[in-house]
Amino acid sequence: MIAIIFLTACHNNEQIDDSGTSTNAQVIATTQPNIKFPVEAKLKTPDQVEDTLIATVKGIDFLITPTGKIFWGRNPGDTIHIFPDEIIEKAYLYLNKDILYLFYTETDFEGATSRLEKIHLTSRKRILTAEIPGFNLGLPYILDNYAYVTAIGTAGKLNLNNGQYVYQYSELYDHKKYSFNSFDSIVFKDDLTIFLSTNLNGKRVDSLIVNEKSNKHTIRK
């Protein structure tokens, strides 16, 4: 059985007990210090709907066009085209030596999905692609060779070496309770990984709690 005493949503430090009630008690869940975070790309021209995204990662300037062309560095040849099906509207970039991990959402403005592209910058080649179903792509948490990823109604642990999921939970979105529309933060406590989602409709924090050893999970909403 998975048990949680207190949870906290990092963006507002609101604390929730295991019944879903706010409390001022001490928080016991803490984030591991060796987690890495990608850089969120920004719109080059914020007033435009379809616009180029820009980000600076470890001193390297990246530019991503809506149609999936990526430019970096000062060499005109430092470019690659990832050919998304639709328009790229959001992206997070993580750089490990000469490997770029690009987490992004593509949309036709009626529907959307998200993906991971692993790109070798030196050879300008795509290594692998993995789907992250849904929009409302959350900030990926990177721990060792894994990325903890979220989107609307979806949360999972993705192996960055092979693009396969260690676990993935989808169809979490609850139309009646409006649960898991998006995820705010991820907390690690002992063997538990806790995906937190603020439910603005119910004024509470919903959670998906996964035991990393057994892969058993509990949903609280």
Side-chain angles (χ1 to χ4, degrees), residues 113-137:
T113 193
S114 302
R115 304 184 194 281
L116 162 67
E117 287 280 353
K118 183 177 179 181
I119 301 168
H120 191 269
L121 296 182
T122 302
S123 64
R124 307 180 188 90
K125 292 183 178 180
R126 300 160 68 185
I127 300 173
L128 61 81
T129 302
E131 186 171 7
I132 308 169
F135 52 95
N136 288 350
L137 178 65

PDB file of all heavy atoms in Angstrom, residues 113-137:
ATOM      1  N   THR A 113      -0.428  17.355 -29.681  1.00  0.00           N
ATOM      2  CA  THR A 113       0.285  16.289 -28.986  1.00  0.00           C
ATOM      3  C   THR A 113       1.695  16.777 -28.710  1.00  0.00           C
ATOM      4  O   THR A 113       2.114  17.829 -29.214  1.00  0.00           O
ATOM      5  CB  THR A 113       0.306  14.988 -29.801  1.00  0.00           C
ATOM      6  OG1 THR A 113       0.752  13.911 -28.958  1.00  0.00           O
ATOM      7  CG2 THR A 113       1.236  15.094 -31.006  1.00  0.00           C
ATOM      8  N   SER A 114       2.421  16.022 -27.908  1.00  0.00           N
ATOM      9  CA  SER A 114       3.779  16.419 -27.545  1.00  0.00           C
ATOM     10  C   SER A 114       4.740  15.278 -27.843  1.00  0.00           C
ATOM     11  O   SER A 114       4.340  14.119 -27.956  1.00  0.00           O
ATOM     12  CB  SER A 114       3.844  16.802 -26.058  1.00  0.00           C
ATOM     13  OG  SER A 114       2.936  17.847 -25.764  1.00  0.00           O
ATOM     14  N   ARG A 115       6.020  15.628 -27.959  1.00  0.00           N
ATOM     15  CA  ARG A 115       7.026  14.630 -28.309  1.00  0.00           C
ATOM     16  C   ARG A 115       8.375  14.973 -27.687  1.00  0.00           C
ATOM     17  O   ARG A 115       8.612  16.110 -27.258  1.00  0.00           O
ATOM     18  CB  ARG A 115       7.224  14.547 -29.835  1.00  0.00           C
ATOM     19  CG  ARG A 115       5.976  14.274 -30.628  1.00  0.00           C
ATOM     20  CD  ARG A 115       6.281  14.119 -32.115  1.00  0.00           C
ATOM     21  NE  ARG A 115       5.076  14.173 -32.915  1.00  0.00           N
ATOM     22  CZ  ARG A 115       4.223  13.170 -33.074  1.00  0.00           C
ATOM     23  NH1 ARG A 115       4.466  12.022 -32.491  1.00  0.00           N
ATOM     24  NH2 ARG A 115       3.131  13.310 -33.815  1.00  0.00           N
ATOM     25  N   LEU A 116       9.245  13.977 -27.680  1.00  0.00           N
ATOM     26  CA  LEU A 116      10.659  14.168 -27.371  1.00  0.00           C
ATOM     27  C   LEU A 116      11.463  13.844 -28.617  1.00  0.00           C
ATOM     28  O   LEU A 116      11.244  12.806 -29.246  1.00  0.00           O
ATOM     29  CB  LEU A 116      11.101  13.244 -26.234  1.00  0.00           C
ATOM     30  CG  LEU A 116      12.626  13.029 -26.112  1.00  0.00           C
ATOM     31  CD1 LEU A 116      13.326  14.315 -25.688  1.00  0.00           C
ATOM     32  CD2 LEU A 116      12.954  11.889 -25.164  1.00  0.00           C
ATOM     33  N   GLU A 117      12.380  14.732 -28.959  1.00  0.00           N
ATOM     34  CA  GLU A 117      13.361  14.458 -30.012  1.00  0.00           C
ATOM     35  C   GLU A 117      14.753  14.470 -29.373  1.00  0.00           C
ATOM     36  O   GLU A 117      15.114  15.420 -28.674  1.00  0.00           O
ATOM     37  CB  GLU A 117      13.308  15.521 -31.112  1.00  0.00           C
ATOM     38  CG  GLU A 117      12.108  15.452 -32.016  1.00  0.00           C
ATOM     39  CD  GLU A 117      12.243  14.392 -33.097  1.00  0.00           C
ATOM     40  OE1 GLU A 117      13.330  13.789 -33.222  1.00  0.00           O
ATOM     41  OE2 GLU A 117      11.248  14.174 -33.813  1.00  0.00           O
ATOM     42  N   LYS A 118      15.511  13.419 -29.593  1.00  0.00           N
ATOM     43  CA  LYS A 118      16.900  13.343 -29.137  1.00  0.00           C
ATOM     44  C   LYS A 118      17.797  13.563 -30.345  1.00  0.00           C
ATOM     45  O   LYS A 118      17.728  12.803 -31.311  1.00  0.00           O
ATOM     46  CB  LYS A 118      17.169  11.983 -28.495  1.00  0.00           C
ATOM     47  CG  LYS A 118      18.566  11.825 -27.912  1.00  0.00           C
ATOM     48  CD  LYS A 118      18.710  10.463 -27.225  1.00  0.00           C
ATOM     49  CE  LYS A 118      20.097  10.259 -26.655  1.00  0.00           C
ATOM     50  NZ  LYS A 118      20.233   8.916 -25.995  1.00  0.00           N
ATOM     51  N   ILE A 119      18.610  14.603 -30.290  1.00  0.00           N
ATOM     52  CA  ILE A 119      19.370  15.046 -31.469  1.00  0.00           C
ATOM     53  C   ILE A 119      20.852  15.117 -31.141  1.00  0.00           C
ATOM     54  O   ILE A 119      21.251  15.681 -30.113  1.00  0.00           O
ATOM     55  CB  ILE A 119      18.872  16.431 -31.933  1.00  0.00           C
ATOM     56  CG1 ILE A 119      17.377  16.368 -32.272  1.00  0.00           C
ATOM     57  CG2 ILE A 119      19.682  16.940 -33.111  1.00  0.00           C
ATOM     58  CD1 ILE A 119      16.736  17.729 -32.458  1.00  0.00           C
ATOM     59  N   HIS A 120      21.670  14.533 -32.004  1.00  0.00           N
ATOM     60  CA  HIS A 120      23.130  14.642 -31.886  1.00  0.00           C
ATOM     61  C   HIS A 120      23.569  15.878 -32.662  1.00  0.00           C
ATOM     62  O   HIS A 120      23.496  15.911 -33.891  1.00  0.00           O
ATOM     63  CB  HIS A 120      23.796  13.383 -32.449  1.00  0.00           C
ATOM     64  CG  HIS A 120      25.254  13.285 -32.152  1.00  0.00           C
ATOM     65  ND1 HIS A 120      26.220  13.790 -32.987  1.00  0.00           N
ATOM     66  CD2 HIS A 120      25.907  12.755 -31.081  1.00  0.00           C
ATOM     67  CE1 HIS A 120      27.425  13.547 -32.472  1.00  0.00           C
ATOM     68  NE2 HIS A 120      27.255  12.939 -31.312  1.00  0.00           N
ATOM     69  N   LEU A 121      23.996  16.909 -31.940  1.00  0.00           N
ATOM     70  CA  LEU A 121      24.275  18.181 -32.593  1.00  0.00           C
ATOM     71  C   LEU A 121      25.495  18.126 -33.503  1.00  0.00           C
ATOM     72  O   LEU A 121      25.514  18.764 -34.565  1.00  0.00           O
ATOM     73  CB  LEU A 121      24.465  19.272 -31.535  1.00  0.00           C
ATOM     74  CG  LEU A 121      23.243  19.605 -30.665  1.00  0.00           C
ATOM     75  CD1 LEU A 121      23.570  20.735 -29.706  1.00  0.00           C
ATOM     76  CD2 LEU A 121      22.038  19.958 -31.530  1.00  0.00           C
ATOM     77  N   THR A 122      26.528  17.386 -33.109  1.00  0.00           N
ATOM     78  CA  THR A 122      27.755  17.344 -33.914  1.00  0.00           C
ATOM     79  C   THR A 122      27.501  16.731 -35.285  1.00  0.00           C
ATOM     80  O   THR A 122      27.944  17.256 -36.313  1.00  0.00           O
ATOM     81  CB  THR A 122      28.853  16.563 -33.176  1.00  0.00           C
ATOM     82  OG1 THR A 122      29.108  17.184 -31.903  1.00  0.00           O
ATOM     83  CG2 THR A 122      30.146  16.555 -33.993  1.00  0.00           C
ATOM     84  N   SER A 123      26.773  15.626 -35.320  1.00  0.00           N
ATOM     85  CA  SER A 123      26.478  14.968 -36.598  1.00  0.00           C
ATOM     86  C   SER A 123      25.200  15.507 -37.238  1.00  0.00           C
ATOM     87  O   SER A 123      24.906  15.177 -38.383  1.00  0.00           O
ATOM     88  CB  SER A 123      26.344  13.459 -36.390  1.00  0.00           C
ATOM     89  OG  SER A 123      25.234  13.161 -35.555  1.00  0.00           O
ATOM     90  N   ARG A 124      24.452  16.335 -36.483  1.00  0.00           N
ATOM     91  CA  ARG A 124      23.177  16.896 -36.959  1.00  0.00           C
ATOM     92  C   ARG A 124      22.191  15.798 -37.363  1.00  0.00           C
ATOM     93  O   ARG A 124      21.540  15.867 -38.396  1.00  0.00           O
ATOM     94  CB  ARG A 124      23.410  17.862 -38.124  1.00  0.00           C
ATOM     95  CG  ARG A 124      24.439  18.960 -37.823  1.00  0.00           C
ATOM     96  CD  ARG A 124      24.615  19.879 -39.014  1.00  0.00           C
ATOM     97  NE  ARG A 124      25.716  20.804 -38.814  1.00  0.00           N
ATOM     98  CZ  ARG A 124      26.976  20.572 -39.162  1.00  0.00           C
ATOM     99  NH1 ARG A 124      27.277  19.422 -39.752  1.00  0.00           N
ATOM    100  NH2 ARG A 124      27.902  21.467 -38.939  1.00  0.00           N
ATOM    101  N   LYS A 125      22.104  14.780 -36.498  1.00  0.00           N
ATOM    102  CA  LYS A 125      21.215  13.658 -36.789  1.00  0.00           C
ATOM    103  C   LYS A 125      20.254  13.428 -35.624  1.00  0.00           C
ATOM    104  O   LYS A 125      20.606  13.612 -34.467  1.00  0.00           O
ATOM    105  CB  LYS A 125      22.025  12.375 -37.048  1.00  0.00           C
ATOM    106  CG  LYS A 125      22.830  12.414 -38.338  1.00  0.00           C
ATOM    107  CD  LYS A 125      23.545  11.092 -38.570  1.00  0.00           C
ATOM    108  CE  LYS A 125      24.324  11.104 -39.883  1.00  0.00           C
ATOM    109  NZ  LYS A 125      25.039   9.811 -40.111  1.00  0.00           N
ATOM    110  N   ARG A 126      19.051  13.015 -35.969  1.00  0.00           N
ATOM    111  CA  ARG A 126      18.061  12.644 -34.968  1.00  0.00           C
ATOM    112  C   ARG A 126      18.356  11.224 -34.496  1.00  0.00           C
ATOM    113  O   ARG A 126      18.561  10.312 -35.307  1.00  0.00           O
ATOM    114  CB  ARG A 126      16.669  12.741 -35.555  1.00  0.00           C
ATOM    115  CG  ARG A 126      16.312  14.142 -36.037  1.00  0.00           C
ATOM    116  CD  ARG A 126      15.178  14.151 -37.028  1.00  0.00           C
ATOM    117  NE  ARG A 126      13.913  13.771 -36.401  1.00  0.00           N
ATOM    118  CZ  ARG A 126      12.780  13.609 -37.079  1.00  0.00           C
ATOM    119  NH1 ARG A 126      12.773  13.779 -38.400  1.00  0.00           N
ATOM    120  NH2 ARG A 126      11.668  13.283 -36.468  1.00  0.00           N
ATOM    121  N   ILE A 127      18.350  11.042 -33.182  1.00  0.00           N
ATOM    122  CA  ILE A 127      18.666   9.733 -32.619  1.00  0.00           C
ATOM    123  C   ILE A 127      17.400   8.936 -32.350  1.00  0.00           C
ATOM    124  O   ILE A 127      17.315   7.750 -32.679  1.00  0.00           O
ATOM    125  CB  ILE A 127      19.494   9.883 -31.329  1.00  0.00           C
ATOM    126  CG1 ILE A 127      20.817  10.610 -31.629  1.00  0.00           C
ATOM    127  CG2 ILE A 127      19.766   8.520 -30.699  1.00  0.00           C
ATOM    128  CD1 ILE A 127      21.620  10.941 -30.397  1.00  0.00           C
ATOM    129  N   LEU A 128      16.429   9.575 -31.754  1.00  0.00           N
ATOM    130  CA  LEU A 128      15.173   8.879 -31.465  1.00  0.00           C
ATOM    131  C   LEU A 128      14.055   9.901 -31.250  1.00  0.00           C
ATOM    132  O   LEU A 128      14.296  11.078 -30.997  1.00  0.00           O
ATOM    133  CB  LEU A 128      15.293   7.944 -30.252  1.00  0.00           C
ATOM    134  CG  LEU A 128      15.650   8.528 -28.887  1.00  0.00           C
ATOM    135  CD1 LEU A 128      14.441   9.129 -28.170  1.00  0.00           C
ATOM    136  CD2 LEU A 128      16.254   7.441 -28.007  1.00  0.00           C
ATOM    137  N   THR A 129      12.823   9.396 -31.350  1.00  0.00           N
ATOM    138  CA  THR A 129      11.626  10.190 -31.103  1.00  0.00           C
ATOM    139  C   THR A 129      10.700   9.402 -30.196  1.00  0.00           C
ATOM    140  O   THR A 129      10.581   8.183 -30.346  1.00  0.00           O
ATOM    141  CB  THR A 129      10.886  10.500 -32.423  1.00  0.00           C
ATOM    142  OG1 THR A 129      11.760  11.192 -33.317  1.00  0.00           O
ATOM    143  CG2 THR A 129       9.662  11.360 -32.164  1.00  0.00           C
ATOM    144  N   ALA A 130      10.091  10.085 -29.257  1.00  0.00           N
ATOM    145  CA  ALA A 130       9.114   9.446 -28.372  1.00  0.00           C
ATOM    146  C   ALA A 130       7.912  10.366 -28.225  1.00  0.00           C
ATOM    147  O   ALA A 130       8.071  11.591 -28.151  1.00  0.00           O
ATOM    148  CB  ALA A 130       9.719   9.139 -27.011  1.00  0.00           C
ATOM    149  N   GLU A 131       6.737   9.789 -28.175  1.00  0.00           N
ATOM    150  CA  GLU A 131       5.531  10.602 -28.035  1.00  0.00           C
ATOM    151  C   GLU A 131       5.168  10.801 -26.569  1.00  0.00           C
ATOM    152  O   GLU A 131       5.301   9.887 -25.747  1.00  0.00           O
ATOM    153  CB  GLU A 131       4.347   9.967 -28.761  1.00  0.00           C
ATOM    154  CG  GLU A 131       3.112  10.865 -28.764  1.00  0.00           C
ATOM    155  CD  GLU A 131       1.992  10.375 -29.649  1.00  0.00           C
ATOM    156  OE1 GLU A 131       2.114   9.254 -30.173  1.00  0.00           O
ATOM    157  OE2 GLU A 131       1.001  11.107 -29.822  1.00  0.00           O
ATOM    158  N   ILE A 132       4.728  12.012 -26.260  1.00  0.00           N
ATOM    159  CA  ILE A 132       4.170  12.347 -24.955  1.00  0.00           C
ATOM    160  C   ILE A 132       2.743  12.786 -25.245  1.00  0.00           C
ATOM    161  O   ILE A 132       2.514  13.939 -25.609  1.00  0.00           O
ATOM    162  CB  ILE A 132       4.974  13.479 -24.274  1.00  0.00           C
ATOM    163  CG1 ILE A 132       6.467  13.131 -24.244  1.00  0.00           C
ATOM    164  CG2 ILE A 132       4.440  13.748 -22.868  1.00  0.00           C
ATOM    165  CD1 ILE A 132       7.356  14.299 -23.843  1.00  0.00           C
ATOM    166  N   PRO A 133       1.779  11.894 -25.134  1.00  0.00           N
ATOM    167  CA  PRO A 133       0.426  12.192 -25.632  1.00  0.00           C
ATOM    168  C   PRO A 133      -0.206  13.399 -24.934  1.00  0.00           C
ATOM    169  O   PRO A 133      -0.203  13.494 -23.710  1.00  0.00           O
ATOM    170  CB  PRO A 133      -0.345  10.909 -25.306  1.00  0.00           C
ATOM    171  CG  PRO A 133       0.688   9.862 -25.124  1.00  0.00           C
ATOM    172  CD  PRO A 133       1.875  10.560 -24.559  1.00  0.00           C
ATOM    173  N   GLY A 134      -0.711  14.319 -25.733  1.00  0.00           N
ATOM    174  CA  GLY A 134      -1.463  15.427 -25.180  1.00  0.00           C
ATOM    175  C   GLY A 134      -0.759  16.760 -25.231  1.00  0.00           C
ATOM    176  O   GLY A 134       0.433  16.857 -25.526  1.00  0.00           O
ATOM    177  N   PHE A 135      -1.530  17.803 -24.912  1.00  0.00           N
ATOM    178  CA  PHE A 135      -0.981  19.158 -24.820  1.00  0.00           C
ATOM    179  C   PHE A 135      -0.797  19.498 -23.341  1.00  0.00           C
ATOM    180  O   PHE A 135      -0.740  18.603 -22.496  1.00  0.00           O
ATOM    181  CB  PHE A 135      -1.900  20.160 -25.523  1.00  0.00           C
ATOM    182  CG  PHE A 135      -3.334  20.100 -25.084  1.00  0.00           C
ATOM    183  CD1 PHE A 135      -3.821  20.950 -24.104  1.00  0.00           C
ATOM    184  CD2 PHE A 135      -4.216  19.191 -25.666  1.00  0.00           C
ATOM    185  CE1 PHE A 135      -5.151  20.892 -23.695  1.00  0.00           C
ATOM    186  CE2 PHE A 135      -5.549  19.129 -25.274  1.00  0.00           C
ATOM    187  CZ  PHE A 135      -6.016  19.974 -24.277  1.00  0.00           C
ATOM    188  N   ASN A 136      -0.657  20.775 -23.018  1.00  0.00           N
ATOM    189  CA  ASN A 136      -0.335  21.192 -21.645  1.00  0.00           C
ATOM    190  C   ASN A 136       0.924  20.483 -21.152  1.00  0.00           C
ATOM    191  O   ASN A 136       0.985  19.972 -20.018  1.00  0.00           O
ATOM    192  CB  ASN A 136      -1.496  20.937 -20.682  1.00  0.00           C
ATOM    193  CG  ASN A 136      -2.658  21.892 -20.897  1.00  0.00           C
ATOM    194  OD1 ASN A 136      -2.533  22.868 -21.642  1.00  0.00           O
ATOM    195  ND2 ASN A 136      -3.781  21.624 -20.261  1.00  0.00           N
ATOM    196  N   LEU A 137       1.926  20.462 -22.007  1.00  0.00           N
ATOM    197  CA  LEU A 137       3.195  19.817 -21.670  1.00  0.00           C
ATOM    198  C   LEU A 137       3.806  20.479 -20.446  1.00  0.00           C
ATOM    199  O   LEU A 137       3.991  21.693 -20.396  1.00  0.00           O
ATOM    200  CB  LEU A 137       4.153  19.915 -22.857  1.00  0.00           C
ATOM    201  CG  LEU A 137       5.552  19.334 -22.675  1.00  0.00           C
ATOM    202  CD1 LEU A 137       5.491  17.819 -22.490  1.00  0.00           C
ATOM    203  CD2 LEU A 137       6.429  19.687 -23.878  1.00  0.00           C
TER     204      LEU A 137
END
